[in-house]
Amino acid sequence: MPVNPANHRKEAVSMPKRQGNNPKRRIAPKNGTDRQFLDRLAGQAVYIGSSHHKRFPADYGFQPPVNPRPNKSICDGSRVIKRAEATSPFREGIRRGMISTYCEGELPKYVWAVDGNGRVYEAKRDGDRTTYHGYELGDDESAMKKLVAKEWHAR
């Protein structure tokens, strides 16, 4: 069963607002989502990435390779991250329940993850599909990065 935002408003972890942010970005409460739903979601949701968040989009098979948008955060800015490596923390984020309370249909709009080096990522659903693209949260979002890291380690 998906997270119902109406049921979790009081319990959800409030996300600091950022410029251009969807105000419905909230992390589902710890133990607030059915385990079977999370397992099903982890098997059904697919991380595909986005050429707009890649310094090296061809590494993800984007054809033709395109350059990232200057106003988008780059998830491979400090080093190349292959799709298989990016998929692992994405799926772990789902398994830990690091998903948004806001859903479109049965799928959460956002998934958050922290990699082995402590970098904090946000994945966003691509429209009405089961695919997501992700990006590293930048220094301009230090409050959110701290919140996601704290929740990640608490789960």
Side-chain angles (χ1 to χ4, degrees), residues 99-116:
I99 62 175
S100 62
T101 57
Y102 178 74
C103 294
E104 294 175 343
E106 287 197 2
L107 300 176
K109 180 72 173 174
Y110 298 97
V111 175
W112 293 275
V114 179
D115 71 10

Side-chain angles (χ1 to χ4, degrees), residues 76-87:
D76 60 354
S78 58
R79 65 181 184 83
V80 174
I81 301 171
K82 298 287 186 177
R83 186 180 305 178
E85 182 183 352
T87 298

Side-chain angles (χ1 to χ4, degrees), residues 11-104:
E11 300 172 25
V13 179
S14 232
M15 302 299 277
K17 187 174 180 182
R18 70 176 181 179
Q19 201 170 42
N21 181 38
N22 179 342
K24 297 176 183 172
R25 258 176 50 182
R26 298 183 190 275
I27 300 174
K30 185 177 176 181
N31 301 322
T33 306
D34 179 68
R35 176 59 43 201
Q36 289 178 337
F37 169 73
L38 293 175
D39 290 343
R40 190 172 71 248
L41 178 60
Q44 143 184 25
V46 178
Y47 176 77
I48 60 166
S50 167
S51 60
H52 299 300
H53 296 281
K54 303 288 180 270
R55 187 173 60 174
F56 302 107
D59 290 337
Y60 276 67
F62 294 118
Q63 296 298 327
V66 296
N67 289 326
R69 291 184 184 167
N71 63 336
K72 299 290 184 179
S73 62
I74 304 299
C75 67
D76 60 354
S78 58
R79 65 181 184 83
V80 174
I81 301 171
K82 298 287 186 177
R83 186 180 305 178
E85 182 183 352
T87 298
S88 180
F90 169 73
R91 292 209 187 288
E92 182 63 22
I94 293 170
R95 287 187 188 99
R96 290 184 187 215
M98 296 290 295
I99 62 175
S100 62
T101 57
Y102 178 74
C103 294
E104 294 175 343

